[in-house]
């Protein structure tokens, strides 16, 4: 391995460490606790080293969001594929997709915030949208296109379904919806929106 390859590998490892540490700190104490000073202390690098990877907290949030989008896409696809093997058909796939989305948001609140609530400097629904975000939407679309209904554009249907899931996450986390009703809400959402 050349010196240049080793330096590139070490740089990539430092970047992964910064993102993982920011994510861990945010999950433990919230995004307000994530500062370059605290990150530098936790990973035992100087602040200038952090700034050589990220210009600031906004870019770190964006990196966490991209990582989270990739994880969410993988979990949505796995849930849909797992349900495809059952006898429930399209309804089972859509239900599994919705459950996986809500479960991801519940298990990873700081990552979810980085993806959808905080400014990570990422473009959504634009030409310069990062591939990880496009892939997250594609993971929804792959399952939902078959249940959009006749004459309904699948992308638009996916946006509405996604907005419904996001609304359930946001309202539940804010204590605006009674706890313990997620399963009934998913059932209602699937039965009323998806043509199965």
């Amino acid at each position: 391995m050349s010196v240049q390859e080793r330096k590139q590998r070490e740089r990539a490892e430092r970047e992964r460490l910064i993102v993982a540490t920011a994510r861990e700190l945010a999950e433990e104490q919230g995004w307000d606790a994530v500062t370059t000073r605290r990150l530098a202390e936790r990973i035992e690098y100087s602040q200038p080293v952090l700034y050589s990877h990220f210009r600031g907290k906004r870019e770190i949030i964006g990196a966490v969001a991209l990582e989270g989008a990739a994880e969410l896409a993988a979990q949505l696809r796995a849930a849909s594929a797992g349900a495809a093997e059952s006898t429930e058909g399209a309804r089972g796939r859509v239900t599994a997709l919705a459950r996986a989305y809500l479960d991801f948001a519940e298990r990873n609140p700081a990552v979810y915030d980085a993806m959808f609530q905080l400014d990570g400097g990422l473009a959504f629904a634009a030409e310069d949208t990062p591939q990880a975000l496009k892939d997250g939407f594609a993971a929804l679309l792959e399952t939902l296109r078959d249940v959009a209904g006749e004459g309904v554009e699948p992308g638009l249907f996916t946006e509405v379904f996604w907005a419904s899931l996001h609304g359930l996450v946001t309202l539940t986390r804010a204590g605006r919806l009674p706890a313990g009703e997620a399963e009934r809400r998913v059932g209602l959402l699937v039965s009323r929106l998806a043509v199965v």
Side-chain angles (χ1 to χ4, degrees), residues 135-148:
D135 197 43
F137 185 78
L140 291 166
L141 180 62
E142 289 162 10
T143 297
L144 295 172
R145 76 169 28 107
D146 296 332
V147 298

Side-chain angles (χ1 to χ4, degrees), residues 169-181:
V169 168
T170 303
L171 292 171
T172 300
R173 286 178 60 192
R176 303 295 196 268
L177 296 176
E181 295 290 331

Side-chain angles (χ1 to χ4, degrees), residues 41-122:
E41 288 171 2
R42 276 208 177 188
I43 65 172
E44 299 178 346
Y45 283 104
S46 67
Q47 283 182 295
V49 170
L50 265 73
Y51 284 116
S52 73
H53 290 274
F54 300 99
R55 288 187 299 236
K57 183 175 176 176
R58 182 179 187 221
E59 283 189 4
I60 294 169
I61 290 170
V64 170
L66 292 175
E67 187 176 272
E71 290 172 13
L72 177 59
Q75 290 177 24
L76 294 176
R77 286 186 173 111
S80 184
E85 297 171 5
S86 75
T87 59
E88 295 180 44
R91 180 181 297 274
R93 286 191 309 280
V94 175
T95 300
L97 178 89
R99 285 182 188 141
Y101 186 96
L102 297 176
D103 288 346
F104 177 88
E106 184 177 339
R107 282 190 327 274
N108 305 284
V111 174
Y112 193 85
D113 285 347
M115 293 167 64
F116 302 118
Q117 305 286 46
L118 302 174
D119 179 11
L122 304 174

